[in-house]
Amino acid sequence: MFSAIVFLPLLGFLTAGIFGRWLGPRGAQIATCVPMVIAAILAAFAFVDVGLQGETYRIQVLTWINSGAFEADWRLRVDTLTAVMLVVVTWVSALVHIYSIGYMSHDPQQPRFFAYLSLFTFAMLMLVTADNFVQLFFGWEGVGLASYLLIGFWYKKPSANAAAIKAFVVNRIGDFGLILGIATLFFTIGSVDFDTVFKAIPELQDKTFLFLGYDVPVVTTACLLLFMGAMGKSAQFLLHTWLPDAMEGPTPVSALIHAATMVTAGVFLVARMSPVFEFSPFALTVVTIIGAITAFFAATVGLVQNDIKRVIAYSTCSQLGYMFAALGVGAYEPAVFHLFTHAFFKALLFLGSGSVIHAMSDEQDMRKMGGLFRMIPATWLMMIIGTLALTGFPFTAGYFSKDAIIEATFAGENPAHMFAFVMLVVAALFTSFYSWRLIFLTFHGQSRASNETLSHVHESPMVMMLPLVVLAVGAVFAGMAFSDLFIGKAHEAFWLSSIFKGPDNHVLHDMHHIPAWAIWAPTAMMVIGLAVAVLFYLVKPELPKQLAREQEPLYKFLLNKWYVDEIYDFLFVRPAFWVGRLLWKQGDGRIIDGLGPDGVSARVLDVTRGVVRLQSGYLYHYAFAMLLGVAALATYFMFGGAH
């Protein structure tokens, strides 16, 4: 069953990728969607078997690398954490596959698109079922490759190509840290097998190695390097710049990669490495700080974005910050719980925005929408459900998981836990505001679209609406149904096989004994954000423009995303281009080519030109040259030959 879950998407990719030209769009859809739906159903059974009945499995696929002392088998590790990720990846992917049948119906390259979707899903499944670092890295890079292909799917658009390259390059920076982290553990322990590494970590807690004359702690160094990889893949602050630009890909890609699966790979990595991170309090503090800053930063930028997909993209970035803040205070279970619930409501919001874009003839600017509530009521309802869950409305999925994270940061014990609590509560206020701003600008008020666009507005077909309904059910009930299992009374037995917590980690117990005001703070922020959005966009719609004029520097600062891209351009991109031009023009052109092949050929030409001039055709010129030769020889024998 578990092998089928992993390899069915690969089968779909190979079928659509190799035979897509002959299968055509409909054949490619069937060849990829059917295996994905079967994999999703099997993943649900796997969740029951592994998560609810407490079974764990190690399934040998083949002996992969066996070179001297280095061994790395291809083996599927199936425990509770894997089972949760299998459900998230396969269900969201299956629904995105089905949704894409309608969304991509007019695209001539459908076989290629569906093949890429299945390739991405296979790579992600390889990542979450990894039993050693080599297999994890294989899936990690496979996800990066598939992401590059999907973001740049419309390769004739320069902006899509630029976004794909940016995502690839920024992720390579994080991946470099991941490689170094894996290497640190391998050269210290001598194995890449998870269980072997986890058993050896307690003995390494106080050990150091010499680096540039300093004694560096092994475990903390490995954790920080692994977290660097997680920062890149999960778009944390400073390595987040690729995520908003990735919206250049088709909307189903945004839902699959940048809402539910790929960007959660970093969260999964830190949760999987809990037996390592638990022995490095400093690394966990760094994770807390970065997560809290990311949650706050992305929420502030989301306040002023006008592209409907970019608002949701920054929302994703912010929610990932929540997850890392929870991981940093040792609340691994709430972090994975939020990963689980977030997949449903964020995929719902992305696919819902795709339904809006589809209805608006590919328009994405919310300033050109408005009044769509009566024209596409089903899409409006789905977006409302997703927004309620995202903002943490009581008893929706987000209410259980996001509030648990905020409570856990308050109850945490590392030095940054109160900083994280404050940042996350403020981010909850901003999240509520920008989420409802999206709803009001898109669906309510006066229509700002052209008459021609409005004449084509229509509800999406059933093949697109059905996945939205399924995701809406998850967005409403996933938190209620699974909260006891993930973070309640049953959580210890549920996570026993997959998450390690040190004897001093009592955060899940302590979070149930925090003050009432801390418990109700996120709900209060949700209500305040909603009230301000109603005032700004329904009661007094002229207020936002007035405020933007009065606070122009702050507005531009947020609109330009804290100028992070501009700073990177100044610090890294322009100097890199300058160095490149210098090496090209001066180093390669003037020195290497000038003194090398170009210089030699030029001197040969000069000599030949001189020789050619001697070939005048006049007899007296040749006689004169011969006399010069005779004179030279006579001179030589007269003065040089005397010795």
Side-chain angles (χ1 to χ4, degrees), residues 227 231 234-240 284-302 314-326 328 405 409 416-428 430-431 434 557-558 561-562 564 568:
F227 177 58
M231 283 178 66
S234 292
Q236 293 301 282
F237 184 64
L238 299 180
L239 292 180
H240 68 278
L284 286 175
T285 302
V286 172
V287 173
T288 306
I289 293 170
I290 294 294
I293 292 173
T294 304
F296 175 78
F297 154 75
T300 61
V301 176
Y314 277 106
S315 168
T316 298
C317 193
S318 182
Q319 296 304 305
L320 290 165
Y322 274 83
M323 297 176 207
F324 277 106
I405 286 177
T409 56
H417 78 100
M418 284 308 296
F419 169 75
F421 173 76
V422 173
M423 290 290 100
L424 298 191
V425 169
V426 175
F430 294 159
T431 300
Y434 68 64
F557 178 71
L558 298 180
K561 304 159 288 189
W562 290 26
V564 175
Y568 282 174

Side-chain angles (χ1 to χ4, degrees), residues 395-638:
F395 307 113
T396 59
Y399 171 77
F400 289 95
S401 59
K402 190 168 82 169
D403 286 23
I405 286 177
I406 294 175
E407 292 166 18
T409 56
F410 187 90
E413 294 183 357
N414 76 33
H417 78 100
M418 284 308 296
F419 169 75
F421 173 76
V422 173
M423 290 290 100
L424 298 191
V425 169
V426 175
L429 169 66
F430 294 159
T431 300
S432 179
F433 174 80
Y434 68 64
S435 299
W436 289 108
R437 172 179 177 264
L438 183 151
I439 294 294
F440 298 148
L441 279 176
T442 304
F443 294 100
H444 297 273
Q446 296 296 319
S447 175
R448 297 173 295 278
S450 65
N451 291 330
E452 182 181 356
T453 302
L454 288 174
S455 66
H456 294 98
V457 173
H458 59 284
E459 195 64 88
S460 297
M462 186 56 67
V463 73
M464 290 173 64
M465 293 307 299
L466 184 61
L468 293 179
V469 173
V470 176
L471 290 168
V473 172
V476 174
F477 297 110
M480 196 182 306
F482 295 102
S483 64
D484 187 61
L485 202 61
F486 278 74
I487 59 173
K489 296 177 181 178
H491 84 275
E492 289 187 5
F494 183 69
W495 294 111
L496 183 63
S497 65
S498 56
I499 288 179
F500 171 81
K501 298 175 75 171
D504 299 327
N505 188 338
H506 307 294
V507 66
L508 237 65
H509 175 267
D510 295 344
M511 64 184 272
H512 296 297
H513 300 88
I514 65 173
W517 67 266
I519 295 174
W520 289 104
T523 303
M525 294 299 104
M526 181 267 296
V527 173
I528 294 170
L530 170 59
V532 175
V534 169
L535 174 66
F536 273 37
Y537 296 99
L538 293 183
V539 179
K540 293 185 177 180
E542 71 280 357
L543 267 181
K545 290 182 180 178
Q546 180 183 336
L547 190 63
R549 284 194 299 270
E550 292 174 357
Q551 305 293 333
E552 187 175 0
L554 177 61
Y555 175 72
K556 286 187 175 180
F557 178 71
L558 298 180
L559 192 65
N560 288 285
K561 304 159 288 189
W562 290 26
Y563 293 103
V564 175
D565 280 291
E566 287 77 5
I567 293 170
Y568 282 174
D569 184 65
F570 176 77
L571 291 178
F572 303 115
V573 178
R574 291 183 186 179
F577 272 97
W578 181 83
V579 170
R581 278 192 293 268
L582 178 69
L583 294 175
W584 169 38
K585 294 286 190 182
Q586 305 300 325
D588 188 40
R590 179 169 295 181
I591 297 174
I592 296 175
D593 285 345
L595 298 179
D598 290 349
V600 171
S601 62
R603 299 296 76 77
V604 170
L605 286 173
D606 292 342
V607 171
T608 54
R609 288 193 193 99
V611 172
V612 165
R613 290 194 187 98
L614 294 176
Q615 307 298 316
S616 63
Y618 294 106
L619 185 61
Y620 62 87
H621 283 172
Y622 302 147
F624 180 69
M626 290 171 65
L627 286 174
L628 285 177
V630 170
L633 283 171
T635 303
Y636 173 75
F637 284 114
M638 286 172 64

Side-chain angles (χ1 to χ4, degrees), residues 50-208:
V50 176
L52 302 184
Q53 297 178 6
E55 299 290 340
T56 59
Y57 299 92
R58 299 288 188 279
I59 300 161
Q60 184 81 7
V61 177
L62 52 84
T63 299
W64 196 359
I65 302 173
N66 192 343
S67 177
F70 181 73
E71 293 183 7
D73 290 342
W74 189 349
R75 190 166 54 239
L76 306 183
R77 181 190 187 96
V78 185
D79 54 18
T80 306
L81 183 59
T82 305
V84 170
M85 294 303 296
L86 289 178
V87 169
V88 169
V89 174
T90 56
W91 275 85
V92 172
S93 182
L95 293 171
V96 166
H97 273 75
I98 295 168
Y99 178 92
S100 300
I101 294 172
Y103 191 87
M104 302 295 289
S105 58
H106 301 298
D107 196 286
Q109 297 291 327
Q110 288 183 63
R112 182 166 62 91
F113 179 77
F114 281 94
Y116 288 169
L117 284 184
S118 291
L119 173 63
F120 169 83
T121 308
F122 167 69
M124 191 68 197
L125 291 171
M126 279 286 296
L127 193 161
V128 301
T129 58
D131 194 39
N132 58 65
F133 283 106
V134 174
Q135 185 185 334
L136 181 139
F137 190 72
F138 177 82
W140 193 272
E141 293 304 307
V143 164
L145 169 65
S147 170
Y148 169 80
L149 295 172
L150 285 165
I151 294 168
F153 177 74
W154 287 320
Y155 56 86
K156 293 184 179 179
K157 289 172 60 179
S159 57
N161 288 330
I165 293 170
K166 186 175 184 180
F168 202 77
V169 170
V170 173
N171 271 281
R172 293 296 73 71
I173 297 169
D175 294 353
F176 180 64
L178 179 64
I179 294 172
L180 292 179
I182 294 171
T184 301
L185 292 172
F186 173 70
F187 286 117
T188 307
I189 298 168
S191 176
V192 292
D193 183 71
F194 286 165
D195 288 335
T196 305
V197 170
F198 296 161
K199 288 175 183 175
I201 287 296
E203 300 174 4
L204 298 176
Q205 185 175 9
D206 299 321
K207 289 193 175 181
T208 61

